[in-house]
Amino acid sequence: MSDKGRTILITGALGQIGSELTIALRDRYGNENVIATDLREDEEGRLSSSGTFSKLDVLSTEEIDTIVKKFRVNAIYHLAAMLSAVAEKAPEKAWHVNMNGLFNVLEVARENDCSVFFPSSIGVFGPSTPMDGTPQVTIQRPESMYGITKLAGELLCNYYHDKYGVDTRGVRFPGIISNVARPGGGTTDYAVEIFYDALEKGRYTCFLRSDTYLDMMYMPDAMKAAIEIMEADGEHLRFRNAYNIASMSFTPEELAAEIRKHIPGFAIDYEVDPVRQKIADSWPNYMDDSAAREDWGWKPDYDIAAMTEDMLSVLRKRIDGDAD
Ligand code: NAD
Ligand code: AKB
């Protein structure tokens, strides 16, 4: 597909990733060519102020099909989903939203010749997966409902590519750290909350153990990955389920130490949530992303030091601005 002719539908656009990815895609392809949708209304005008926003429930094939036809969409970024912690509280609903939502998107994509971006997750791995340098192809036995739906989603994307020729592309996102929309109920949310509390209270109570290693990624790198894999030459993509991508991995204690370089008195303590700790313990310490680097040139820009400096600087300006 030529980049000039790209017309994009985003589902779940008001979430943590969509709130920023929508704007990045509009900057790249033109405001009029990126249709943002969500189950919720855009009450703050975050996305409707720069382009089309429409309410859309991914559980309705008809609603997806109508928008795709109306705007002649040829690429779908399917972000709508329930994340790991909220999915564990409502597993039946999470199965319904995460699986049937993706199924509906793939069906509409098949009928209307759209490419599909699927955001998979480190959640597709489980306790029997090798934790250090987790390979692209390895044991995948997730134990959370979220992980099960993401793994089945990867397989479904692969199936639609092989059987129907749908141009499916995906990445296994680590925990995403960002400063626009707050995270939607995941196991990695601590790595965002900690920055707000560091600036507002000087201390943070973490729901994961101090030594819990997890892969994380700063939002600019996450958006870069989502855009670059969709623009990559499809001939070079060996994997149509999802690619491991990585940029940094740390524990809560290590992140706190990094924050202390900027806020010396910052204090952290721990009140471990057993549900999220069990999930975190089953996810990789760090992934091997060499397949993404080889196949489509993946290369992140931010490490923990650059991300921490930028997060604190952006949030500090916002908090100071609000106080004026
Ligand atoms: P989020 O929870 O912040 O946002 C999800 C959005 O989907 C919400 O705005 C919600 O209103 C919407 N939604 C829920 N049900 C819907 C439905 N039936 N129809 C339409 N919209 C619906 O999630 P996010 O963090 O922005 O994540 C986006 C995608 O990326 C998800 O698929 C998630 O699994 C994946 N991902 C996120 C992370 C992360 O750290 N944020 C990491 C790995 C993968
Ligand atoms: C979650 O914690 O559920 C998400 C993810 C890593 O998929 N942030």
Side-chain angles (χ1 to χ4, degrees):
M1 183 194 309
S2 104
D3 287 342
K4 275 195 173 149
R6 213 170 274 254
T7 305
I8 295 170
L9 163 66
I10 308 181
T11 71
L14 289 174
Q16 186 193 3
I17 295 178
S19 294
E20 295 189 57
L21 183 59
T22 302
I23 304 302
L25 291 169
R26 283 181 176 163
D27 287 347
R28 194 165 180 84
Y29 304 116
N31 286 351
E32 64 288 3
N33 294 322
V34 180
I35 318 304
T37 67
D38 201 287
L39 190 60
R40 298 179 276 149
E41 291 285 3
D42 182 13
E43 277 163 10
E44 293 167 17
R46 187 178 274 160
L47 303 179
S48 48
S49 55
S50 60
T52 301
F53 177 87
S54 180
K55 266 189 85 176
L56 182 154
D57 183 349
V58 293
L59 294 176
S60 165
T61 315
E62 209 181 317
E63 284 182 28
I64 306 169
D65 191 58
T66 302
I67 293 223
V68 163
K69 287 196 164 65
K70 179 174 173 191
F71 294 98
R72 297 174 187 272
V73 166
N74 53 23
I76 305 175
Y77 278 77
H78 174 50
L79 305 183
M82 287 170 63
L83 273 69
S84 57
V86 288
E88 223 44 46
K89 287 191 185 135
E92 203 178 322
K93 185 173 175 201
W95 173 265
H96 194 44
V97 172
N98 294 6
M99 290 318 309
N100 294 333
L102 175 62
F103 181 80
N104 293 343
V105 163
L106 288 169
E107 269 301 296
V108 173
R110 176 168 78 87
E111 281 167 12
N112 294 277
D113 198 17
C114 301
S115 55
V116 176
F117 174 77
F118 173 64
S120 187
S121 162
I122 50 175
V124 294
F125 300 113
S128 51
T129 300
M131 293 284 164
D132 294 325
T134 303
Q136 170 68 33
V137 180
T138 186
I139 300 165
Q140 291 183 267
R141 299 289 301 270
E143 291 184 347
S144 70
M145 179 50 88
Y146 176 68
I148 290 166
T149 63
K150 284 289 167 187
L151 175 54
E154 285 192 5
L155 297 173
L156 203 56
C157 287
N158 207 42
Y159 182 84
Y160 268 72
H161 176 261
D162 289 354
K163 191 169 175 79
Y164 303 119
V166 177
D167 186 5
T168 55
R169 300 166 184 223
V171 294
R172 292 176 181 142
F173 277 136
I176 306 299
I177 300 169
S178 68
N179 50 49
V180 175
R182 298 290 277 256
T187 302
T188 58
D189 293 10
Y190 91 83
V192 178
E193 293 170 0
I194 194 171
F195 285 101
Y196 286 86
D197 280 13
L199 287 166
E200 285 166 353
K201 304 177 192 159
R203 58 177 307 109
Y204 176 64
T205 301
C206 184
F207 58 77
L208 295 182
R209 242 184 10 248
S210 62
D211 61 351
T212 310
Y213 269 106
L214 284 170
D215 264 311
M216 299 282 179
M217 182 169 289
Y218 198 29
M219 183 64 90
D221 278 334
M223 294 195 294
K224 181 167 109 152
I227 291 170
E228 286 184 355
I229 193 171
M230 288 296 274
E231 289 185 359
D233 182 347
E235 296 291 314
H236 296 154
L237 301 180
R238 282 175 291 164
F239 301 99
R240 291 301 184 139
N241 51 339
Y243 279 85
N244 285 0
I245 53 168
S247 63
M248 64 185 90
S249 166
F250 52 73
T251 65
E253 202 54 45
E254 287 172 357
L255 180 56
E258 195 62 40
I259 291 172
R260 258 182 231 115
K261 292 180 187 167
H262 304 265
I263 307 174
F266 173 64
I268 186 165
D269 62 3
Y270 298 89
E271 269 174 35
V272 172
D273 167 13
V275 175
R276 285 177 286 185
Q277 185 65 52
K278 181 168 181 266
I279 294 174
D281 286 341
S282 76
W283 289 358
N285 295 335
Y286 59 94
M287 288 185 288
D288 172 4
D289 62 359
S290 52
R293 289 173 186 261
E294 282 161 24
D295 289 6
W296 48 279
W298 161 246
K299 191 170 174 294
D301 294 322
Y302 286 85
D303 59 11
I304 183 175
M307 175 276 292
T308 301
E309 193 178 338
D310 201 59
M311 275 294 282
L312 289 173
S313 144
V314 172
L315 287 178
R316 192 173 270 131
K317 275 189 209 131
R318 192 164 319 136
I319 289 166
D320 289 351
D322 288 349
D324 289 344

